[in-house]
């Protein structure tokens, strides 16, 4: 496997992407690869704390709402 050829191909494909949400996901993926497990655990715990706070404040979806939202994923 020619790693440089693979990297070049990835660069070319990323240059074609215009979807901001995809770019954000790619950014998070690359950040997670380069972060320590301690950083990841801290972020994970922060995500849980934020989610619990949202639930406490009434900011959540019902099961039916979540199902309707998920049906739209990947359809653009």
């Amino acid at each position: 496997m020619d790693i440089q050829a693979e990297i070049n191909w990835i660069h070319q494909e990323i240059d074609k992407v215009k979807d901001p949400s995809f770019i954000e996901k790619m950014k998070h993926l690359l950040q997670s690869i380069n972060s320590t497990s301690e950083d990841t655990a801290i972020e994970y715990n922060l995500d849980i704390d934020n989610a619990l706070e949202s639930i406490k404040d009434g900011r959540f979806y019902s099961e039916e709402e979540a199902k309707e939202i998920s049906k739209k994923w990947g359809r653009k």
Side-chain angles (χ1 to χ4, degrees):
M1 170 193 277
D2 181 356
I3 193 74
Q4 191 57 50
E6 295 292 328
I7 291 170
N8 290 340
W9 179 84
I10 291 169
H11 282 180
Q12 290 172 350
E13 293 304 308
I14 289 174
D15 287 342
K16 296 176 190 176
V17 174
K18 303 297 181 216
D19 180 0
S21 66
F22 176 83
I23 297 298
E24 191 65 25
K25 288 175 183 139
M26 181 63 71
K27 179 181 171 182
H28 287 296
L29 172 66
L30 293 171
Q31 287 172 334
S32 71
I33 290 170
N34 295 320
S35 66
T36 66
S37 61
E38 181 179 326
D39 291 339
T40 304
I42 291 168
E43 290 172 7
Y44 176 77
N45 289 331
L46 183 59
D47 283 345
I48 291 173
D49 290 342
N50 290 338
L52 291 172
E53 190 68 28
S54 291
I55 291 167
K56 187 174 105 179
D57 292 342
R59 296 187 317 262
F60 56 87
Y61 296 107
S62 69
E63 181 179 356
E64 196 57 42
E65 289 170 323
K67 285 178 182 178
E68 288 302 313
I69 291 168
S70 70
K71 287 178 184 178
K72 297 175 186 174
W73 292 345
R75 297 180 187 163
K76 293 194 178 205

